[in-house]
Amino acid sequence: MAEVSGPLQLSEVQAAVEVAAGRAAGTVLLTNVQVVNVITGEVEPGPVLLAGRLIAGVGPDYAQAKARQVLDLNGGLVVPGFVDGHVHLESALVEPREYARAVVPRGVTTVVWDPHEWANVVGTTAFEVAREATASLPLNVYLTASSCVSASPLETAGARLDPEDLEQAMGHGHVVGLGELMNYPGVVAGDPREIEKAWRADRLGKPVDGHAPLLTGRDLQAYVAAGIGSDHECLQVEEAREKLRLGMMIFIREGSAVRNLADLLPLVTPAVKDRFCLVTDDKHPHDLVREGGVDFAVRKAVQLGLDLPTAVRMATLNTCQFFGLRRRGAVVPGYWADLAVLAPDTLECQVVFRAGRLVARDGQLLVDTFVPTDARLLNTVRLPDVPLERLQMADPGGAARVIGVVPGQIVTRSLTMAPTVKDGCVVADPDRDLAKLVVMERHGRRGGIGVGLVQGLGLKRGAIASTVAHDAHNVIVAGVNDADILAAAQAVARTGGGFAAVADGKLVAGLALPVAGLMSQHTLPEVVEGLDRLEEAVKVLGVTMPAPFMTLSFLALSVIPALKLTDQGLVDPTTGRLVGLLAD
Amino acid sequence: MAEVSGPLQLSEVQAAVEVAAGRAAGTVLLTNVQVVNVITGEVEPGPVLLAGRLIAGVGPDYAQAKARQVLDLNGGLVVPGFVDGHVHLESALVEPREYARAVVPRGVTTVVWDPHEWANVVGTTAFEVAREATASLPLNVYLTASSCVSASPLETAGARLDPEDLEQAMGHGHVVGLGELMNYPGVVAGDPREIEKAWRADRLGKPVDGHAPLLTGRDLQAYVAAGIGSDHECLQVEEAREKLRLGMMIFIREGSAVRNLADLLPLVTPAVKDRFCLVTDDKHPHDLVREGGVDFAVRKAVQLGLDLPTAVRMATLNTCQFFGLRRRGAVVPGYWADLAVLAPDTLECQVVFRAGRLVARDGQLLVDTFVPTDARLLNTVRLPDVPLERLQMADPGGAARVIGVVPGQIVTRSLTMAPTVKDGCVVADPDRDLAKLVVMERHGRRGGIGVGLVQGLGLKRGAIASTVAHDAHNVIVAGVNDADILAAAQAVARTGGGFAAVADGKLVAGLALPVAGLMSQHTLPEVVEGLDRLEEAVKVLGVTMPAPFMTLSFLALSVIPALKLTDQGLVDPTTGRLVGLLAD
């Protein structure tokens, strides 16, 4: 049967009926397998018989079935292809084609991608481009419409998505919901435009994904009352239990920076096993290579003591039910033949079928994933001419607010320090590990430049810059002198975005991320190597913390405590207000 | 807050958020209650606070909440309004307005109605009329598009619904799926038009309800592979377990004629409690009055030992999830305020809220349900002029096939008996309890008349007739002489349909069912009384079995073994062929 892409055809269903009834040979027969039934929680005997893109039959009724291809799988466990219910592919720093290369051989056949970072750069174009960039991949890529672009009014992103824009995006079949409604303070406070986003999604019959860290009591109920159906921000069992009781699907996140699985797993009991989904949210390049995607969470859940069928169910059936992904998430007749076969001892993935086609074996992808980069994602870094004087900070005349770095975390501390002043201007002071921090709007919209101080990066010389700067993804630079700061900003702008380290006006090292200023066009292993090289190189500037560019990228995230810097200036996220350099 | 009908408005969601957050007073506060949480399986403390048509908040956070109306419910159990996942309202012999009067005070707030009987009479008009006849009721009435009209090619119904017609019907939001795909032999055999019906439903994102009694093995897998998602025909645990494993939702039927709950309940374990729905399928007038609707199944499940939250879940959340009924099926913020409050000891329903409005209390409906009968359902019995000779049966010249009645069952036996012959024609023979059976097409389509013999009705004199005659609902008459047979047929035709008993050319008793020839325009108690009177009256004809007109109504059902009669003649349902009077 020829590969068919696109919607299920009547002829395919007819073929599946013929094969299931035993009147026609199947396309593939998986023999010597056990089948994980996520519906009943049982492990059943095989085989599994496919008819084109669909599963036709399961179990001993098909022991003698004929098929064009017969695969003996050595006692392997057939599971539904894994589904990641909430992921920002952008965190991988590679294009979707490379993400697919990384996770499909591990058994991930479906992701629900909230292209929130792309949308902050290119607006609704992100949903179009994401569709086109993934349609030919051996991975089902569904989208959620990114609900909070921009994340706050205190930063200038490349676009603003209004409820009407989101409704339009959700009108497309592959956009299966509204993405994490992060502005929970807005919803709880009754902001009509935020509530409208959820209402419009519901009107279209699409679920609303939530994001409400530590919200509790009546405020949480108000958030849920707005029609928000899930949450992936639970840190502890008590928090998750409260949300569970109120009807939220609990997305258990096991990503790179945030790993909640071990803490939340005690809540997953037989009584409520249908109410959890495993998600990654963000997986960084090293972890993606080392661990994989949501498949890692499944294995970890089993290692932590959860029974296999339930662990698999949380990354398959439950997620498909929440997002209304029809004919997906179980190994039963008539469902899409998206399957992984796992080694029964290690649970390592041996073979992967996507829509009935063998797409990976022994960790290797067997199909081409090349998709050219969409031109609309290139040349997005439009840095204005910045005279050096724009980076100056006048002496506030008292103690200054300083962003205190917490390595590996997205929160910061809000410090108060006496600034070092030279010629009437505040300057960096490497002896106190005080650097200057600059955020330059780079979307060609307003050209705002915010300047502040940051403590704890370890910077002794030069400057480091990034166009990955959550969530607006402006250019963020930390440096000890203005010339190097400007040079570093220009260095990342020259490559269409990326990371760069500069000392004495010269580029020390860099990693080009020309795709929306967020992703490389290279392979994942190349990006991992490039990051390693870059991290090694910045040591000569004094920066020795792990993943310094990731730490840098969160210093602009204006919705997370305690003190951040955007292109509009210093932001106190707890009050949602701009603040001056002079501490109160 | 004024009553609003129709889709949820943004302002209503905003109001719910305000109330949940504690900034505004609610509309109703239910105090001194416990709340059945069907999501977690727990029983939690109240109160429950409503904001217009929505639930705003649940639990002790709202102990001090303000509301326009406060109801102390004396320790009552708040449950989501019950949902009947598969019902043919027509079996109640009363119009939907009367059905609602019967079940709403018992806590049923939603039904998924397959108007299969109406559709056999008036075609796709049934879906339109059903919508209009129910839109103003205090009951959410969703429809499934009746998939098998007519039930077989061996009978002439009032309409034939093609896959295209069904797709058009399913294009409407209130038509939430394809109704029971009864032609499972057709699906399993690969009939492309049958498979197309399921495929078109799936393409629209709507589930397909199944009907596959005793189907097993590869044939069952073929049926499931066609995309059919549920089944309500399971009789025994083993049958249901096989379907469950293949991914079907198991609709446990507890109706009037068929009651499967006690047999299937052992299969409902915590591991699979999300995979069952309670349904009634058919509830006859007496049972509806005596027992209620799907609420009866909930109480019975508890009496049989099931925990209350699971029993309630099977008639609420599970059904809403299967049919994609958003914001329904649980008592959580943001969901529709469809609630029943049950006495904690007897589980009898005390009060019922529908969309936030108190609609019933202590078994009494508090709102008007009057809806005029739609003219398109009236005058549907178009009986042609039938000369007496058309009822004659020539001597077959050997033993005859005879339909053997099995009282209270829809199956019949296929008997072989020597016919009694007079003047070269086969005649009834009351001494051997042999009556003549006649089916006359009454939709004005072809005017077919089938004639045969039936044994076991007890008829000694006259004739009994019905326009309820599954599934084509032609006129069916059993009688001992042709004149009374014709008179009985004319009697039901004169009332626009119904039941009638005739002896010696005179009407003995009757019950008019002028709505599509299937329903009375009277109240349910009046219909129960009319049926009792009719049943008493037919005793003078010798008919003493209970519910003789129901038995009569199934003698034309050409898809159920072993021998039936349609307007086209005698049918052997096991082969799907017309057969002659002469036995092989």
Side-chain angles (χ1 to χ4, degrees), chain A residues 8-11 13-14 16-23 37 39-42 44 54-59 61-62 65 187-193 195-199 201-208 216-219 221-228 241-242 244-248 270-275 313 317 321 326-327 331-335, chain B residues 8-11 13-14 16-23 37 39-42 44 54-59 61-62 65 187-193 195-199 201-208 216-219 221-228 241-242 244-248 270-275 313 317 321 326-327 331-335:
Chain A
L8 196 61
Q9 301 299 306
L10 174 57
S11 59
V13 181
Q14 290 177 309
V17 171
E18 292 301 307
V19 171
R23 290 187 298 270
N37 190 325
I39 292 164
T40 62
E42 299 165 315
E44 301 168 343
L54 297 178
I55 299 165
V58 180
D61 285 337
Y62 299 93
V187 173
V188 172
D191 181 334
R193 291 295 269 175
I195 296 170
E196 185 177 351
K197 293 172 183 174
W199 173 75
D202 185 67
R203 198 169 61 158
L204 291 170
K206 310 240 166 165
V208 180
T216 182
R218 295 192 301 183
D219 285 353
Q221 299 215 27
Y223 186 69
V224 175
I228 295 155
R241 182 179 285 130
E242 185 181 0
L244 177 71
R245 284 178 172 154
L246 292 173
M248 296 188 112
V272 289
K273 68 177 182 175
D274 58 318
R275 307 299 299 179
R313 179 184 172 130
L317 182 66
Q321 287 185 338
R326 300 180 68 73
R327 295 177 179 263
V331 185
V332 295
Y335 274 40
Chain B
L8 195 62
Q9 300 300 306
L10 175 57
S11 59
V13 181
Q14 290 176 309
V17 171
E18 292 301 307
V19 171
R23 291 186 297 269
N37 189 325
I39 291 164
T40 62
E42 299 165 315
E44 301 168 343
L54 297 178
I55 300 165
V58 180
D61 286 336
Y62 298 93
V187 173
V188 172
D191 181 334
R193 292 294 268 175
I195 295 171
E196 185 178 350
K197 293 172 184 173
W199 173 75
D202 186 66
R203 198 168 62 158
L204 291 171
K206 310 241 166 164
V208 180
T216 181
R218 295 191 302 183
D219 285 354
Q221 299 215 26
Y223 185 70
V224 175
I228 295 155
R241 183 179 284 131
E242 185 181 0
L244 178 70
R245 284 178 171 153
L246 292 173
M248 297 187 111
V272 289
K273 67 176 182 177
D274 58 319
R275 307 300 299 180
R313 180 183 172 130
L317 182 66
Q321 287 185 338
R326 302 180 66 74
R327 295 177 180 263
V331 184
V332 294
Y335 274 40

Side-chain angles (χ1 to χ4, degrees), chain B residues 387-401:
Chain B
L388 266 181
E389 304 81 64
R390 282 289 304 275
L391 307 186
Q392 288 180 356
M393 271 187 290
D395 179 2
R401 286 190 172 84

Side-chain angles (χ1 to χ4, degrees), chain B residues 305-569:
Chain B
L306 191 66
D307 66 287
L308 178 69
T310 300
V312 172
R313 180 183 172 130
M314 294 198 301
T316 55
L317 182 66
N318 291 354
T319 317
C320 293
Q321 287 185 338
F322 181 77
F323 285 108
L325 309 182
R326 302 180 66 74
R327 295 177 180 263
R328 293 199 190 282
V331 184
V332 294
Y335 274 40
W336 288 95
D338 293 343
L339 304 170
V341 183
L342 312 181
D345 43 359
T346 62
L347 302 185
E348 290 298 324
C349 185
Q350 301 177 312
V351 298
V352 182
F353 283 84
R354 191 275 188 138
R357 184 181 180 197
L358 182 66
V359 291
R361 183 190 272 260
D362 299 330
Q364 295 303 309
L365 205 64
L366 304 177
V367 296
D368 183 35
T369 65
F370 183 75
V371 185
T373 309
D374 194 295
R376 288 170 286 183
L377 295 177
L378 296 173
N379 304 310
T380 65
V381 180
R382 290 181 285 275
L383 201 63
D385 281 334
V386 179
L388 266 181
E389 304 81 64
R390 282 289 304 275
L391 307 186
Q392 288 180 356
M393 271 187 290
D395 179 2
R401 286 190 172 84
V402 175
I403 297 170
V405 166
V406 184
Q409 301 256 359
I410 67 175
V411 296
T412 60
R413 284 174 297 153
S414 179
L415 307 175
T416 303
M417 297 173 74
T420 302
V421 177
K422 195 171 162 189
D423 301 333
C425 288
V426 176
V427 295
D429 186 348
D431 291 344
R432 291 196 287 158
D433 197 0
L434 262 178
K436 209 161 171 180
L437 189 67
V438 177
V439 175
M440 307 176 188
E441 194 276 310
R442 61 93 162 178
H443 303 289
R445 291 187 71 208
R446 293 173 28 148
I449 296 181
V451 189
L453 290 170
V454 60
Q455 197 276 337
L457 285 173
L459 208 59
K460 305 271 183 218
R461 305 168 51 205
I464 58 174
S466 170
T467 53
V468 180
H470 294 280
D471 280 339
H473 302 300
N474 287 310
V475 176
I476 188 165
V477 199
V480 299
N481 68 77
D482 292 354
D484 280 346
I485 287 173
L486 203 53
Q490 287 162 346
V492 293
R494 260 196 310 276
T495 57
F499 303 141
V502 164
D504 306 325
K506 287 190 187 122
L507 186 68
V508 173
L511 181 74
L513 300 173
V515 182
L518 301 168
M519 288 172 172
S520 168
Q521 292 179 291
H522 288 275
T523 66
L524 181 60
E526 285 166 345
V527 167
V528 165
E529 201 189 317
L531 279 171
D532 287 344
R533 216 165 31 219
L534 182 61
E535 205 164 318
E536 192 57 35
V538 295
K539 288 183 181 165
V540 307
L541 306 186
V543 180
T544 56
M545 67 170 58
F549 286 90
M550 194 188 314
T551 298
L552 183 65
S553 76
F554 285 114
L555 298 183
L557 183 52
S558 60
V559 292
I560 298 290
L563 185 64
K564 300 289 173 111
L565 181 72
T566 75
D567 67 303
Q568 297 182 28

Side-chain angles (χ1 to χ4, degrees), chain B residues 54-410:
Chain B
L54 297 178
I55 300 165
V58 180
D61 286 336
Y62 298 93
Q64 306 301 322
K66 300 241 181 312
R68 201 161 319 156
Q69 188 184 7
V70 179
L71 279 180
D72 184 313
L73 287 160
N74 199 27
L77 288 159
V78 181
V79 299
F82 297 128
V83 182
D84 190 338
H86 178 67
V87 58
H88 306 288
L89 295 195
E90 297 95 325
S91 300
L93 304 185
V94 290
E95 292 190 82
R97 63 186 188 219
E98 277 297 305
Y99 186 90
R101 289 180 64 84
V103 299
V104 170
R106 293 169 172 275
V108 180
T109 54
T110 300
V111 296
V112 180
W113 174 20
D114 183 348
H116 171 78
E117 321 305 344
W118 278 16
N120 263 281
V121 177
V122 297
T124 54
T125 302
F127 308 116
E128 250 174 80
V129 175
R131 174 64 166 172
E132 290 167 19
T134 58
S136 68
L137 297 181
L139 177 70
N140 308 305
V141 179
Y142 294 102
L143 305 176
T144 53
S146 310
S147 66
C148 296
V149 176
S150 61
S152 94
L154 305 179
E155 63 184 23
T156 311
R160 195 183 79 177
L161 301 190
D162 287 322
E164 296 77 6
D165 300 318
L166 296 168
E167 174 157 356
Q168 195 172 25
M170 287 184 287
H172 297 278
H174 63 284
V175 183
V176 294
L178 186 68
E180 49 177 329
L181 197 31
M182 296 188 296
N183 186 3
Y184 62 90
V187 173
V188 172
D191 181 334
R193 292 294 268 175
E194 294 301 329
I195 295 171
E196 185 178 350
K197 293 172 184 173
W199 173 75
R200 284 181 185 256
D202 186 66
R203 198 168 62 158
L204 291 171
K206 310 241 166 164
V208 180
D209 183 26
H211 166 119
L214 301 175
L215 203 61
T216 181
R218 295 191 302 183
D219 285 354
L220 176 60
Q221 299 215 26
Y223 185 70
V224 175
I228 295 155
S230 62
D231 181 82
H232 59 261
E233 291 289 337
C234 298
L235 300 179
Q236 299 297 334
V237 159
E238 274 315 309
E239 180 186 5
R241 183 179 284 131
E242 185 181 0
K243 289 172 175 171
L244 178 70
R245 284 178 171 153
L246 292 173
M248 297 187 111
M249 282 292 272
I250 306 302
F251 286 8
I252 299 180
R253 172 171 48 184
E254 188 71 8
S256 279
V258 195
R259 295 169 180 260
N260 307 124
L261 181 59
D263 290 330
L264 298 181
L265 205 58
L267 196 55
V268 181
T269 60
V272 289
K273 67 176 182 177
D274 58 319
R275 307 300 299 180
F276 296 90
C277 302
L278 295 174
V279 307
T280 60
D281 202 359
D282 298 284
K283 271 267 178 166
H284 302 140
H286 286 87
D287 293 328
L288 202 54
V289 168
R290 203 162 38 216
E291 301 175 340
V294 76
D295 58 295
F296 173 77
V298 174
R299 286 190 304 274
K300 182 166 173 179
V302 172
Q303 284 157 10
L304 291 170
L306 191 66
D307 66 287
L308 178 69
T310 300
V312 172
R313 180 183 172 130
M314 294 198 301
T316 55
L317 182 66
N318 291 354
T319 317
C320 293
Q321 287 185 338
F322 181 77
F323 285 108
L325 309 182
R326 302 180 66 74
R327 295 177 180 263
R328 293 199 190 282
V331 184
V332 294
Y335 274 40
W336 288 95
D338 293 343
L339 304 170
V341 183
L342 312 181
D345 43 359
T346 62
L347 302 185
E348 290 298 324
C349 185
Q350 301 177 312
V351 298
V352 182
F353 283 84
R354 191 275 188 138
R357 184 181 180 197
L358 182 66
V359 291
R361 183 190 272 260
D362 299 330
Q364 295 303 309
L365 205 64
L366 304 177
V367 296
D368 183 35
T369 65
F370 183 75
V371 185
T373 309
D374 194 295
R376 288 170 286 183
L377 295 177
L378 296 173
N379 304 310
T380 65
V381 180
R382 290 181 285 275
L383 201 63
D385 281 334
V386 179
L388 266 181
E389 304 81 64
R390 282 289 304 275
L391 307 186
Q392 288 180 356
M393 271 187 290
D395 179 2
R401 286 190 172 84
V402 175
I403 297 170
V405 166
V406 184
Q409 301 256 359
I410 67 175

